[in-house]
């Protein structure tokens, strides 16, 4: 009886890289990689040569030179004597700030609107439909300009807050809404504030640990713990107790009207508010459709079974429908977070100084380093997008259906 020869025992021949399907795919991938790297090297070399012919070099030394321009909205110290690198960091922080706030608010708006679109109340469902279709089908730039115009034209001037004026501060005279922005109290960190902040973060960790314990206990025994009330108590009670024990280490500096504008406190400019609200409402409309589709993807039998067991509608939504819908919602939600972050580059339309306005705008115009500036700008958006995708993919793996 003839035996079948074992291919792995044959001596390796160079022709196998092409004709043997065990090696062919690897050969093609290596060849494609080499060709791509060669193309990128050729592109870079030609760019450097062309710059050299124009009397320019490829150098990032401009980041250490004096910027010479002011930035109206900043999270860390900065002056016009700071470097272009410092200005770029200010722009990056401003971009991350509006992206972070926008993702949070857009998620809240999207989840609420998506659930209400499925409401049996005809008026509520139709109002949410008008919101979703209205914001999805109008360009984002127009919404940014509209909200900015409302903030600057429909709000009072600082002089209107004088005695006898038509405007007044709200929340115990601590917040002033003006056409120059919203003035809010500024926290003053005193001795012992570090310990208070540590207690606050410990409370957040305790909330996470308790919610995880409550979920596991519910899955194991079916017992539902009062998660909301206990989480609320953990959020406020420890920080309040330690605040008084430490003698009030954090105080508030209230804004006061002085001269032609408010002094003290923190000024949140209308450009930030307009960009934040526009990004949140626009992206929230898309998230609402994602949430609605995710809920509709859950079989109606799941709802009927929950009602048959005596669960109330809100319990059914929180415990049965949304956990299953998350497996459908999370993947497209990642794309919306990425879109919101990249759409924040429209901030230049209302004068909000993000990284596109600083590094990709004024710095390039002053230094003439358009290639280096745009390269750094692209790397920033690429890294930010990869981080957002990575974090959301970790969460997606945590909520996806675990098979045996």
């Amino acid at each position: 009886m003839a035996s079948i020869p074992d291919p792995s025992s044959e001596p390796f021949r160079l022709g196998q890289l092409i004709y043997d399907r065990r090696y062919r795919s690897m050969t093609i991938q290596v060849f494609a990689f080499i060709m791509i790297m060669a193309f990128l090297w050729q592109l870079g070399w030609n760019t450097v040569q062309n710059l050299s012919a124009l009397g320019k070099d490829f150098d990032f030394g401009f980041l250490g030179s004096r910027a010479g321009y002011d930035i109206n909205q900043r999270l860390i110290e900065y002056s016009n004597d700071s470097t272009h690198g410092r200005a770029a960091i200010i722009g990056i922080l401003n971009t991350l700030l509006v992206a972070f706030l926008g993702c949070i608010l857009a998620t809240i708006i999207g989840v609420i609107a998506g659930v209400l679109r499925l409401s049996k109340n005809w008026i509520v469902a139709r109002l949410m439909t008008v919101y979703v279709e209205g914001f999805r089908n109008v360009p984002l730039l127009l919404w940014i300009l509209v909200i900015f115009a409302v903030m600057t034209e429909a709000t009072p001037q600082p002089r209107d807050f004088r005695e006898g004026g038509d405007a007044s501060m709200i929340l115990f005279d601590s917040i002033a809404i003006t056409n120059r922005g919203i003035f809010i109290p500024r926290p003053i960190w005193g001795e012992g504030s570090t310990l208070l902040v540590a207690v606050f973060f410990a409370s957040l960790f305790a909330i996470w640990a308790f919610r995880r314990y409550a979920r596991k206990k519910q899955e194991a025994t079916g017992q539902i713990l009062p998660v909301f009330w206990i989480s609320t108590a953990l959020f406020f009670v420890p920080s309040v107790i330690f605040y008084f024990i430490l003698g009030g280490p954090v105080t508030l500096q209230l804004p006061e009207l002085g001269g032609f504008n408010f002094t003290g406190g923190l000024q949140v400019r209308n450009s930030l508010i307009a960009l934040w609200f526009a990004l949140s409402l626009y992206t929230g409309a898309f998230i609402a459709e994602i949430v609605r589709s995710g809920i509709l993807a859950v079989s109606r039998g799941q709802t009927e079974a929950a009602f048959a067991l005596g669960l109330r509608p809100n319990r059914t939504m929180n415990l049965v429908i949304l956990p299953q819908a998350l497996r459908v919602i999370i993947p497209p939600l990642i794309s919306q977070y990425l879109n919101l972050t990249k759409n924040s580059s429209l901030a230049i339309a209302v004068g909000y100084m993000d990284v596109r306005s600083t590094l990709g705008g004024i710095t390039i115009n002053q230094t003439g380093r358009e290639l280096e500036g745009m390269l750094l700008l692209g790397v920033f958006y690429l890294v930010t997008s990869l981080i957002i995708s990575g974090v959301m993919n970790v969460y997606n793996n945590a909520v996806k259906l675990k098979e045996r």
Side-chain angles (χ1 to χ4, degrees):
M1 182 176 180
S3 60
I4 301 175
D6 185 7
S8 61
S9 62
E10 297 179 2
F12 177 78
R13 299 187 304 274
L14 195 61
Q16 289 180 306
L17 294 176
I18 299 177
Y19 300 107
D20 193 330
R21 57 184 178 181
R22 292 177 299 169
Y23 306 104
R24 186 187 305 155
S25 60
M26 183 62 68
T27 303
I28 295 175
Q29 293 180 53
V30 171
F31 179 75
F33 177 77
I34 293 174
M35 293 299 296
I36 293 174
M37 290 296 102
F39 171 76
L40 293 177
W41 180 86
Q42 183 68 20
L43 181 63
W45 185 81
N46 285 337
T47 301
V48 172
Q49 293 298 316
N50 292 334
L51 288 175
S52 181
L54 295 174
K56 300 175 65 176
D57 58 349
F58 187 76
D59 185 19
F60 293 98
F62 70 97
L63 294 174
S65 59
R66 180 177 179 271
Y69 62 89
D70 294 321
I71 300 178
N72 51 20
Q73 185 79 46
R74 51 187 180 270
L75 297 178
I76 59 177
E77 291 298 326
Y78 173 84
S79 67
N80 54 17
D81 289 326
S82 301
T83 63
H84 285 291
R86 183 81 171 183
I89 294 175
I90 298 292
I92 289 173
L93 292 177
N94 286 345
T95 298
L96 296 178
L97 173 65
V98 73
F100 176 75
L101 296 177
C103 287
I104 293 177
L105 185 57
T107 303
I108 296 174
I109 294 174
V111 171
I112 294 175
V115 173
L116 291 181
R117 280 206 70 182
L118 299 173
S119 173
K120 295 181 180 179
N121 188 309
W122 187 86
I123 296 178
V124 173
R126 295 291 81 77
L127 286 176
M128 291 300 101
T129 300
V130 170
Y131 156 68
V132 170
E133 298 302 330
F135 274 88
R136 288 177 63 197
N137 295 290
V138 175
L140 173 59
L141 180 60
L142 294 183
W143 288 119
I144 295 175
L145 296 176
V146 167
I147 296 177
F148 182 74
V150 171
M151 292 296 302
T152 55
E153 300 298 333
T155 51
Q157 301 179 24
R159 66 184 182 186
D160 295 331
F161 288 84
R162 296 184 182 278
E163 186 175 354
D166 298 332
S168 60
M169 300 176 68
I170 61 176
L171 291 180
F172 307 102
D173 293 335
S174 62
I175 298 178
I177 302 177
T178 73
N179 62 350
R180 299 183 184 180
I182 299 178
F183 294 86
I184 61 177
R186 176 196 296 270
I188 305 298
W189 307 97
E191 185 178 356
S193 58
T194 303
L195 179 58
L196 184 62
V197 173
V199 171
F200 175 74
F201 281 105
S203 299
L204 296 180
F205 177 78
I207 292 173
W208 173 81
F210 172 73
R211 293 177 71 91
R212 184 177 181 181
Y213 165 76
R215 184 176 64 254
K216 290 185 176 180
K217 186 175 182 64
Q218 176 193 335
E219 293 174 352
T221 66
Q223 181 181 357
I224 300 177
L225 299 178
V227 175
F228 174 77
W229 295 110
I230 295 179
S231 298
T232 303
L234 288 174
F235 186 84
F236 289 104
V237 173
S239 299
V240 172
I241 292 176
F242 272 86
Y243 178 82
F244 288 105
I245 291 177
L246 297 173
V250 181
T251 57
L252 295 178
Q253 181 189 61
L254 300 179
E256 298 179 353
L257 184 61
F260 298 100
N261 202 356
F262 281 89
T263 58
L266 287 175
Q267 180 183 5
V268 183
R269 296 185 175 272
N270 287 335
S271 55
L272 170 59
I273 298 172
L275 182 65
W276 175 30
F277 282 1
L279 287 172
S280 301
L281 291 171
Y282 181 79
T283 308
F286 289 89
I287 295 178
E289 285 297 275
I290 294 173
V291 172
R292 186 173 72 95
S293 63
I295 293 175
L296 291 176
V298 179
S299 172
R300 184 179 294 273
Q302 297 285 327
T303 304
E304 295 173 349
F307 289 163
L309 293 173
L311 291 179
R312 296 190 299 271
N314 59 338
R315 287 286 188 184
T316 301
M317 179 63 69
N318 294 331
L319 301 178
V320 178
I321 300 176
L322 282 182
Q324 298 182 74
L326 280 176
R327 297 157 189 160
V328 180
I329 293 173
I330 296 301
L333 185 64
I334 299 175
S335 298
Q336 293 305 319
Y337 286 164
L338 297 179
N339 289 338
L340 187 148
T341 303
K342 290 179 285 189
N343 286 338
S344 65
S345 60
L346 294 173
I348 194 172
V350 289
Y352 181 69
M353 301 292 286
D354 69 332
V355 67
R356 169 64 182 85
S357 301
T358 55
L359 176 62
I362 301 177
T363 294
I364 288 179
N365 291 333
Q366 288 188 356
T367 62
R369 297 288 181 174
E370 63 281 350
L371 179 61
E372 294 91 333
M374 285 300 172
L375 182 61
L376 291 175
L377 193 63
V379 169
F380 163 72
Y381 280 113
L382 175 62
V383 172
T384 303
S385 298
L386 291 177
I387 292 175
I388 294 174
S389 299
V391 172
M392 292 301 297
N393 281 325
V394 170
Y395 180 71
N396 184 40
N397 291 330
V399 301
K400 72 178 182 181
L401 183 63
K402 305 295 191 302
E403 298 183 358
R404 293 182 180 178

